Amino acid sequence: TQSLEKEEASKSLGHDKAVYSSSQAEEVKKAEQIALLKTAMSKQKEMEDSLKLVVTNEDDDANSSSSSSSSSSIIVDENYLKGKKVVVFRNVENKTYTVTSPLIKVFLEHCKSFTLNVNSNIITQHIEISNCSSLTLNVSQRCSTVQIDLSSSCTCNYSPSTFSGIDDRLYHAGATDLKVNYAGQTVECDYVKDGARQRGEQSKEEYQFAVFVNEGKLVNEPLTRIGESRVCILFPFSKVTNVKHT
C-alpha cells in the first residue's frame, strides 16, 4: 500500500507525464537514442535483405530457367540476379555457378560438391564460406578477402595477379584438407595439423589462420593476438615449411 501511495502521489505531481529531473531527462534522452539506433539498424537490415538473393537446390531450377545456363554451369548474370547484388548459396549440392555480373558480396553456406567461378568484380572483395565440403572456388578477379570456416576438402584457385596485394588474405578456421593455389604454388591447410589450440573460451575450431603472399611465397600463418585484438602477421618470422611448388 505504501508503494501504491507513492505511485499515486507521483502521478498527482505529473511525474508520469513529463520530465521532472535532470537524471530522468538523461534517461529519456538515452531511450530516444536507443530507439533511433534500433530504427536505423532495422532499416539497414531491410535494405540489405532487399539486395539479397538466396539460392538453394529447391529454387535452383526455377531461377536457372530464366537465365543463361547449361547442364554444366549456371550463369549468374543480370537476368539471373533480377536486381539483387548479394548472393547466398545455401544447401546447394552438385552444382557449378559462374558469376559474370558485379556483386556486393557472396556467401556459401552448407554447400557440397559445389564449384563457384568468380569471373566478375566483387565490390566489397569479400567471399564467405562456412560449413561446406568438396567445394572449389575459382577466382579470376581480385578478391581481397576470402573467409573459410568449419569446412572440409575445399580448394581455392587464384588466377594470376588476383592474390598478390598486401591486403589480400584467405582466412580460415576449423578447415581441414584446404588447398590454396596461386602463381604455381600450393599451400595445404588443416587447423589440427597447423597447430590450432584453445585460447580461453575460444575452441580449436575458432583458431584462425591466414594464407597470403609474403616475399613472393604463398604462406599459411596463424593470427596472433596483441592485447585484446587479433591481427594477421604481415611478415611472419616463422619459417615457411608447408609451401609446395607445382
Side-chain angles (χ1 to χ4, degrees):
T1 56
Q2 188 175 6
S3 62
L4 289 174
E5 289 175 357
K6 287 184 177 180
E7 183 177 347
E8 290 299 324
S10 180
K11 287 182 178 179
S12 68
L13 292 172
H15 291 173
D16 62 327
K17 304 295 183 183
V19 174
Y20 60 92
S21 70
S22 58
S23 61
Q24 187 181 11
E26 186 66 26
E27 291 300 319
V28 170
K29 184 178 180 181
K30 288 180 180 179
E32 290 174 348
Q33 291 174 339
I34 291 172
L36 288 173
L37 179 60
K38 287 182 177 179
T39 300
M41 292 174 65
S42 178
K43 289 182 178 179
Q44 176 70 19
K45 186 178 185 304
E46 289 177 4
M47 184 186 71
E48 291 175 352
D49 288 344
S50 70
L51 295 173
K52 186 181 296 183
L53 173 65
V54 178
V55 178
T56 65
N57 266 2
E58 285 73 17
D59 59 14
D60 176 61
D61 292 337
N63 285 336
S64 61
S65 64
S66 60
S67 68
S68 302
S69 62
S70 66
S71 58
S72 60
S73 180
I74 298 171
I75 307 302
V76 182
D77 55 13
E78 291 294 340
N79 191 37
Y80 184 95
L81 292 167
K82 295 181 175 60
K84 305 294 186 179
K85 292 297 182 182
V86 177
V87 178
V88 181
F89 296 99
R90 183 175 294 156
N91 296 312
V92 180
E93 297 183 21
N94 302 308
K95 298 288 184 180
T96 297
Y97 286 81
T98 300
V99 177
T100 61
S101 293
L103 293 172
I104 294 176
K105 200 170 181 180
V106 178
F107 298 86
L108 297 91
E109 304 169 355
H110 298 277
C111 296
K112 298 178 181 179
S113 301
F114 182 93
T115 297
L116 180 64
N117 303 310
V118 182
N119 295 348
S120 185
N121 182 40
I122 305 298
I123 296 171
T124 61
Q125 297 196 8
H126 202 119
I127 298 174
E128 290 189 18
I129 300 170
S130 63
N131 296 282
C132 293
S133 62
S134 301
L135 181 144
T136 300
L137 176 65
N138 299 314
V139 182
S140 62
Q141 296 287 329
R142 185 175 176 229
C143 186
S144 290
T145 302
V146 172
Q147 177 80 44
I148 302 179
D149 295 330
L150 302 173
S151 298
S152 62
S153 301
C154 294
T155 300
C156 186
N157 302 310
Y158 288 94
S159 296
S161 302
T162 61
F163 194 65
S164 57
I166 191 170
D167 295 322
D168 297 341
R169 296 287 185 277
L170 185 149
Y171 296 99
H172 61 95
T176 58
D177 190 24
L178 169 63
K179 296 181 177 64
V180 183
N181 300 306
Y182 177 70
Q185 300 178 67
T186 297
V187 63
E188 299 179 358
C189 312
D190 184 298
Y191 79 100
V192 176
K193 296 177 181 178
D194 293 336
R197 60 185 183 275
Q198 185 171 344
R199 287 173 168 169
E201 296 181 356
Q202 182 190 62
S203 67
K204 290 182 179 181
E205 288 76 15
E206 296 174 287
Y207 192 100
Q208 288 197 329
F209 297 84
V211 177
F212 56 102
V213 175
N214 179 48
E215 297 180 351
K217 294 181 179 180
L218 192 64
V219 298
N220 176 43
E221 293 290 339
L223 295 186
T224 189
R225 182 182 293 274
I226 299 178
E228 294 301 318
S229 300
R230 286 177 296 169
V231 297
C232 181
I233 304 173
L234 296 180
F235 301 99
F237 296 98
S238 59
K239 294 182 179 180
V240 178
T241 60
N242 55 347
V243 173
K244 297 182 179 180
H245 294 269
T246 58

